[in-house]
């Protein structure tokens, strides 16, 4: 069984589109686990109505607001499926997504090399997010798929639940945004995914979503930004050009950290100091 997991916050105005796409799946071998991250709108009433419809298996958990990453941690702890598929509340699935995942996971579900699999995120008109040509099937980790195979854009990753339990998101008081890329990169040090050129996840990036507000979210969560970019700088499996970009971003987003300059410097390599002026400049230009 698959756990389709949705972290949500004040998305009562749009979450029904996802619900309807789940009702229209060609396979019902899934649970829909919704973790409400402190919504103050009508989300609870909507989910209770969906449960009363008795069309699909739904579980609902309400928690105090702590950010998407804390909702994911709670979702992983409570998931009943072998596979864990994060589907945001403003997106939806193609009608055959669940059946396709089940059919194509059979070769990797008990293979210890694999952390899971991935399909594509697509626009409503079917175009791949990020563009690019048909790559067929690739077995690679979450870093190599970008650096060596040049696959761009957000993807639709489905992870084995027991592996995600080994890699929880760090939780820092008073910070609300931790990039999922932090955990995917950690998992990539040990495991690979099977990537398919198959659209299963339909995206409609909204103005109130994290994608549109990522820069501001990282500014408000400087300690998470420091962790993300310091680990990127030190990751020798990433090309030097990319690591230099991480060094610039490290200095850009560490502005609001309470750490001293020398404490920040100790978290990265000595050569990163050469990118400090560029990081400061980009920070000031993008205020």
């Amino acid at each position: 069984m698959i756990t389709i997991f949705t972290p949500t916050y004040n998305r009562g105005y749009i979450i029904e589109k996802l619900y309807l796409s789940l009702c229209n799946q060609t396979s019902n071998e899934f649970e829909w686990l919704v973790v409400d991250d402190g919504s103050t709108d009508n989300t609870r009433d909507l989910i209770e109505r969906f449960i009363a419809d008795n069309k699909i298996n739904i579980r609902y958990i309400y928690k105090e607001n702590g950010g998407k990453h804390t909702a994911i941690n709670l979702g992983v702890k409570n998931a009943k499926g072998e596979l864990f598929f994060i589907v945001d509340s403003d997106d939806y699935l193609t009608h055959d997504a669940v059946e396709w995942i089940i059919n194509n996971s059979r070769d990797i579900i008990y293979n210890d090399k694999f952390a899971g699999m991935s399909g594509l995120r697509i626009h409503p008109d079917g175009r791949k997010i990020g563009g690019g040509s048909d790559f067929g099937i690739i077995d690679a980790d979450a870093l190599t798929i970008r650096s060596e195979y040049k696959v761009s854009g957000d993807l639709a990753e489905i992870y084995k639940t027991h592996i995600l339990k080994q890699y929880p998101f760090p939780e820092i008081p008073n910070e609300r945004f931790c990039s999922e890329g932090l955990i995917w990169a950690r998992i990539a040090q040990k495991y690979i995914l099977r990537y398919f050129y198959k659209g299963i996840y339909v995206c409609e990036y909204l103005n109130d979503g994290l994608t549109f507000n990522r820069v501001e979210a990282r500014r408000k969560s400087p300690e998470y930004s420091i962790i993300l970019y310091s680990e990127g700088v030190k990751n020798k499996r990433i090309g030097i050009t990319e690591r230099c970009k991480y060094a610039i971003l490290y200095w850009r987003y560490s502005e609001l950290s309470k750490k001293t300059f020398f404490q920040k410097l100790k978290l990265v390599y000595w050569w990163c100091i050469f990118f400090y002026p560029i990081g400061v400049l980009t920070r000031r230009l993008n205020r």
Side-chain angles (χ1 to χ4, degrees), residues 19-48:
Y19 168 66
L20 293 175
S21 79
L22 297 179
C23 291
N24 290 327
Q25 289 298 307
T26 55
S27 170
N28 62 0
E29 293 184 48
F30 68 91
E31 64 166 352
W32 186 27
L33 176 59
V34 179
V35 170
D36 187 337
D37 189 36
S39 293
T40 56
D41 64 358
N42 65 332
T43 295
R44 182 192 295 270
D45 293 337
L46 275 172
I47 301 299
E48 288 178 351

Side-chain angles (χ1 to χ4, degrees), residues 27-156:
S27 170
N28 62 0
E29 293 184 48
F30 68 91
E31 64 166 352
W32 186 27
L33 176 59
V34 179
V35 170
D36 187 337
D37 189 36
S39 293
T40 56
D41 64 358
N42 65 332
T43 295
R44 182 192 295 270
D45 293 337
L46 275 172
I47 301 299
E48 288 178 351
R49 176 166 65 81
F50 299 159
I51 293 172
D53 288 344
N54 200 31
K55 292 182 178 179
I56 57 175
N57 179 12
I58 304 173
R59 289 192 293 137
Y60 174 77
I61 301 173
Y62 183 90
K63 63 181 286 295
E64 292 185 3
N65 182 257
K68 180 180 178 180
H69 61 291
T70 64
I72 294 174
N73 281 346
L74 185 58
V76 170
K77 289 179 181 178
N78 286 274
K80 295 181 179 179
E82 290 181 290
L83 296 172
F84 193 86
F85 187 13
I86 301 171
V87 183
D88 292 338
S89 50
D90 54 344
D91 300 323
Y92 58 97
L93 298 181
T94 60
H95 73 282
D96 62 341
V98 171
E99 182 177 10
W100 179 85
I101 293 169
I102 291 171
N103 290 338
N104 287 279
S105 66
R106 289 169 180 156
D107 290 339
I108 62 102
I109 194 69
Y110 298 116
N111 188 326
D112 292 339
K113 295 189 304 181
F114 289 91
M117 58 188 289
S118 177
L120 301 181
R121 295 193 186 203
I122 57 176
H123 294 285
D125 62 6
R127 292 178 295 117
K128 177 187 173 296
I129 300 294
S133 58
D134 187 343
F135 55 73
I137 300 174
I138 299 174
D139 289 346
D141 63 67
L143 300 174
T144 303
I145 196 69
R146 309 286 186 178
S147 62
E148 293 188 19
Y149 294 96
K150 309 303 180 184
V151 176
S152 62
D154 291 334
L155 298 170

Side-chain angles (χ1 to χ4, degrees), residues 174-177 215-223 256:
N174 302 317
E175 294 205 354
R176 295 289 187 270
F177 178 73
V215 171
E216 184 61 20
R218 284 179 175 155
R219 282 176 55 83
K220 291 180 178 179
S221 297
E223 304 305 329
L256 297 176

Side-chain angles (χ1 to χ4, degrees), residues 37 63-71 73 169-179 182 210 216-229 253-259 264:
D37 189 36
K63 63 181 286 295
E64 292 185 3
N65 182 257
K68 180 180 178 180
H69 61 291
T70 64
N73 281 346
F169 285 85
E171 297 193 13
I172 299 174
N174 302 317
E175 294 205 354
R176 295 289 187 270
F177 178 73
C178 181
S179 171
L182 173 69
L210 284 174
E216 184 61 20
R218 284 179 175 155
R219 282 176 55 83
K220 291 180 178 179
S221 297
E223 304 305 329
Y224 281 127
S225 297
I226 282 178
I227 294 171
L228 174 67
Y229 294 119
Y253 288 109
S254 65
E255 171 192 16
L256 297 176
S257 170
K258 295 180 180 179
K259 291 181 173 63
K264 296 172 188 176

